[in-house]
Amino acid sequence: MAMKPVKYCVVDAFTDAAFKGNPAAVCLLEEDRDDEWLQSVATEFNISETCYLTQPLTLSNEANPTFGLRWFTPVTEVDLCGHATLAAAHFLFAYGLVKTDTIEFSTKSGILTAKRVPETKAPKSQDDYSIELDFPVVQVAETSSADVAAISESLNGASVVEISDTSHGYYVILLPSGEAVVECQPQFAQIMNFPGKGIVITGPAPRDSGFDFHSRYFWPKFGINEDPVCGSAHCALAPYWHKKLGKCDFVALAASTRGGVVNVHLDEENQRVFLRGKAVVVMEGTLLV
């Protein structure tokens, strides 16, 4: 029996403008597909993330529908992805597929929620809203055994202030300034050879910029040299910058070429991170295979 066509859209996440932020393909599955097919489609899209939504599984409470959600890079499945979760929520909200303002997703990282938050400052329309994700904190170690000289060389000689390990297997690298983050020229072949999943570089934002810190994320092992806006990396950056700045609310700039803005709140008591951003649908279509 032929499989049903699969509807998809491509959403730019953590931005309010097309062709900025981080693109994710969102595919709505009406019937099961095997993992080989899921990975092949993600490889075909060849963007930082392709995610798959299943029809509502259950109601975990009386109000909010729960969808299955999985995330794939061009080469592998991952356990957590912020921008593709925001894209999936935007897809469900924008196409009227849910009637509530809160959606739950059943994922490899447990139940994650996405909440539609109307703009409070002169919204342009009823569709003018942000989406807030409720994610787990990623623990950041005080130190790392990583080779500072090798890390610096892989960043084309950038001055490395400190290196920290994370519980998700990537490094957080502090550079002297946000400008240094923007100007960094990563050497991906060298980063590919490091242990761990990848590298997040970060630095304090320029004074009066409106941001608290800048960051960029490199993970060539996962088929993405630079992730334009890595939402899940902010689950580590929130507790990291909390220790440095003594605050729990941040406006973060993803300083890739595409750029993106992430509003971050750290709930230290419950070890949760709330990521808020906008999204824009730029493409829609149907997979025929």
Side-chain angles (χ1 to χ4, degrees), residues 213-273:
F213 60 84
H214 291 180
S215 68
R216 293 168 67 189
Y217 189 15
F218 313 126
W219 55 334
K221 287 183 180 179
F222 288 78
I224 306 160
N225 282 342
E226 179 167 0
D227 200 1
V229 187
C230 184
S232 63
H234 290 79
C235 295
L237 292 169
Y240 182 82
W241 282 104
H242 168 68
K243 290 180 180 179
K244 295 191 175 298
L245 300 179
K247 57 192 293 187
C248 292
D249 292 285
F250 309 93
V251 181
L253 176 68
S256 65
T257 301
R258 289 176 65 101
V261 178
V262 186
N263 289 275
V264 185
H265 172 71
L266 171 66
D267 180 348
E268 190 175 20
E269 179 179 354
N270 295 305
Q271 290 293 283
R272 306 295 293 182
V273 176

Side-chain angles (χ1 to χ4, degrees), residues 31-167:
E31 54 192 0
D32 290 339
R33 297 280 189 149
D34 62 37
D35 286 6
E36 182 180 0
W37 184 91
L38 300 178
Q39 186 60 70
S40 294
V41 170
T43 302
E44 185 78 5
F45 275 118
N46 197 33
I47 55 179
S48 53
E49 212 80 39
T50 297
C51 67
Y52 299 96
L53 281 167
T54 62
Q55 296 290 340
L57 303 171
T58 60
L59 292 177
S60 62
N61 57 48
E62 294 182 357
N64 302 323
T66 302
F67 291 80
L69 181 63
R70 296 173 69 180
W71 311 281
F72 287 75
T73 77
V75 299
T76 191
E77 184 175 9
V78 297
D79 293 336
L80 185 66
C81 179
H83 88 276
T85 304
L86 189 146
H90 182 71
F91 169 76
L92 293 171
F93 288 136
Y95 286 85
L97 299 177
V98 293
K99 304 299 182 184
T100 62
D101 287 327
T102 301
I103 308 166
E104 296 183 345
F105 297 108
S106 176
T107 77
K108 284 193 169 185
S109 292
I111 296 294
L112 306 176
T113 63
K115 181 180 179 182
R116 176 165 45 189
V117 181
E119 292 299 307
T120 57
K121 296 182 179 179
K124 298 175 183 178
S125 71
Q126 64 179 5
D127 296 325
D128 190 12
Y129 58 86
S130 295
I131 295 172
E132 183 177 80
L133 308 177
D134 179 351
F135 271 34
V137 161
V138 172
Q139 301 298 329
V140 182
E142 294 290 337
T143 59
S144 173
S145 60
D147 186 329
V148 175
I151 293 284
S152 176
E153 183 180 354
S154 75
L155 300 176
N156 204 35
S159 177
V160 173
V161 177
E162 66 182 27
I163 303 172
S164 301
D165 295 332
T166 71
S167 58

